[in-house]
Structures are given as C-alpha cells and as structure tokens.
Amino acid sequence: MRDLGVGFRYLLKGQRWVARHGRQYGFGLVPGLITLVLYLAALVALAVWGEGFVGWATPFADDWSSPWIGLFRGFLTAVLFALGLLLAVLTFTAVTLLIGQPFYESLSERVDRDVSPDGTAPESGLPLWRELWISARDSLRVLARALVWAVLLFALGFVPVVGQTVVPVLGFFVTGFFLTEELAAVALQRRDVDLRARLALFRSRKTLIWGFGTPLGLAFLVPFVAVFLMPGAVAGATLLARELLGEEISEGDGPADADTDAAHARDDGDGAGASHAAGRPGTTNR
C-alpha cells in the first residue's frame, strides 16, 4: 500500500515541476488543446448525425410501430454516442502524446536533467519520424489491450450488484494502468525500454502505477482538465520512470523557473556543452 502513496506523490511532483517552469508548461498545453478541438468536433458531429446514421443502419425497423421504433433507435443512438465518448477517453492521451511528441520529449528530457544528480538525460538518438512511428505503433498495441479490458468490463457491468459496484472501481484501476503506461513511455522509449519490457515492469509495481494513474484518470473525467494536467502528468511520469528503473532522483528540484530556463537555454544554445559533447550516461541507440 505504501507504493500507492509514492505513485500519487510523483503525480503531485510533476504538477509542481511544471508550475515552476512556466515556459515548459505553456508549450506542453499546445498538443492537448489541438486534440481537444479535434475530439469536440468529432463528438458534435456524432451528436448531430448519429440519429441519422442509426436510422440508415437499421432499415429493418422502418415498419415497426410507435413507440418501439423510437425507443429502439434512441437506445442505439445513445449507445453509439457513449461508445464514441469512451473511445475518446481511451485514446485522448495517446493521440495527444503523438501530436505533441516533440513537445513532450523536450519536457521529459528537461525533467530528467533537472532531477539527475549529474544534470544529464538519456537520448534515443533516433530521428523524429522513427520516434513517431514507434510511439504510434506502441499506442495502438496499448489501445488494443485497453479495448479488450473495456469490452470485458462492459459485459460484467450487466451482472447485478457487482456490475454497479466492483466493476466501475476495476475500470478506474485499469484506466490508470494504461494511462500511466502511455505517459511514462515518453521517458522509457528514450531509454530503449520496449513495450513488452515496459508492461512487465509496470506489472511488477502495480500499486505504484495505480497510485499515479488512477487519480489522474479520475481527474481526466472532468471536462478540459486533461488538457491542463497533461504537461505535469508527463513530468510526473518521467519521475516515475526513474523510480521504476532505480535511477537516482535529486530531491532539490532545481532553481526557480527563470533561472533554470535561462541556464538550459545557454546550455542548449552552446552546442558544445559538456552534456552534449561528453555523451550522456544511459544514452541508447536503437
């Protein structure tokens, strides 16, 4: 049970980190806002044309008498919208991470530098297109696993009592697990930890993962909250990844935002900084 509290603390630490690094937080909001606009447009289209689609897909019910045809098609329209909303919740993080890959890679690497005792961070050494391909491929695999769980829990939801009590709780834990995997993948991919190894690592510390991902999943149910928490969630997941791999985390989270950003700007612009020239510990090439 101790790991539940540890995971939750990493979630809070990530939010505190971006609160102190305003520029990184601002950049991290952009992908979430883009995804939100796309998803809202898709859900509005589903609400407007969903009834027509259901009518087109059920021609066999055209001759049914009232009120049965209305009840039947109304139920199917509600189910269609609910499935669309569920799919949006399940895929929001993956799509946001895919759109914001350059943003979140930079943010995660900055967190690694900030908390690493020697100020270094692992780098993948891969071109952007290759990182995007790996991220998209792994996200689809994770989504497939999440959908299997969603279908199973949906079916169990019809079991009396259990379906209205135990199943929703299990659903939040499952959501938290896969949500954390998607977020931590940003940092773990830079360390050459593939999907199978990540899932094995997560299963070995399930309570830690639940402590981080379950409250975050609950918060994401509130409209628009996911957009504003996403940068801090990526920062916190980077800290969580270091914990999972046994990497040291400097508790002094570094100086204030302005000083830290200025120092990194000088280091990044130098091109010959020691952290770039010397090669970073933990750097991998795939």
Side-chain angles (χ1 to χ4, degrees):
M1 295 300 292
R2 174 183 171 276
D3 268 355
L4 285 173
V6 174
F8 185 66
R9 283 198 296 274
Y10 280 128
L11 177 60
L12 296 180
K13 284 183 178 182
Q15 300 302 325
R16 286 200 300 267
W17 192 93
V18 295
R20 292 199 318 275
H21 297 74
R23 186 168 60 178
Q24 294 295 313
Y25 179 67
F27 286 151
L29 287 177
V30 174
L33 290 172
I34 294 173
T35 308
L36 179 64
V37 170
L38 293 175
Y39 274 47
L40 284 177
L43 289 173
V44 168
L46 191 60
V48 172
W49 290 297
E51 185 176 357
F53 173 78
V54 169
W56 170 82
T58 57
F60 57 86
D62 288 342
D63 297 329
W64 291 12
S65 60
S66 180
W68 303 115
I69 183 173
L71 291 173
F72 175 69
R73 286 179 170 168
F75 172 74
L76 289 182
T77 302
V79 169
L80 179 65
F81 187 82
L83 288 175
L85 191 60
L86 175 62
L87 186 62
V89 171
L90 288 174
T91 61
F92 183 88
T93 300
V95 173
T96 302
L97 289 173
L98 185 62
I99 292 174
Q101 181 78 14
F103 296 88
Y104 296 136
E105 282 282 353
S106 174
L107 189 153
S108 177
E109 186 175 339
R110 185 65 59 84
V111 173
D112 266 325
R113 292 183 190 178
D114 203 34
V115 302
S116 174
D118 58 3
T120 63
E123 293 178 344
S124 68
L126 297 175
L128 178 60
W129 71 267
R130 178 66 176 167
E131 291 182 348
L132 289 173
W133 162 249
I134 293 173
S135 178
R137 180 195 65 192
D138 289 352
S139 293
L140 287 174
R141 291 175 176 175
V142 170
L143 178 61
R145 289 173 169 84
L147 287 176
V148 170
W149 276 98
V151 171
L152 176 61
L153 292 173
F154 179 77
L156 291 175
F158 292 99
V159 178
V161 182
V162 173
Q164 293 74 50
T165 54
V166 177
V167 171
V169 175
L170 289 177
F172 284 123
F173 279 103
V174 171
T175 299
F177 182 91
F178 287 114
L179 178 61
T180 306
E181 195 288 326
E182 289 280 4
L183 292 165
V186 177
L188 292 172
Q189 282 177 7
R190 286 191 290 109
R191 292 163 166 83
D192 200 25
V193 182
D194 63 20
L195 177 60
R196 181 174 297 182
R198 292 201 302 268
L199 291 174
L201 191 63
F202 278 32
R203 292 188 191 104
S204 69
R205 300 287 299 276
K206 287 192 292 290
T207 52
L208 177 69
I209 304 307
W210 290 335
F212 182 93
T214 303
L216 184 63
L218 287 168
F220 276 16
L221 293 177
V222 181
F224 310 116
V225 165
V227 174
F228 297 102
L229 292 185
M230 186 65 78
V234 173
T238 301
L239 299 174
L240 186 74
R242 296 183 69 93
E243 166 76 19
L244 288 168
L245 296 174
E247 298 177 2
E248 187 176 351
I249 300 175
S250 175
E251 290 300 326
D253 291 317
D257 180 34
D259 295 336
T260 303
D261 284 345
H264 284 309
R266 290 194 301 270
D267 189 38
D268 291 342
D270 183 42
S275 62
H276 291 278
R280 302 164 191 255
T283 300
T284 57
N285 290 289
R286 279 174 281 182

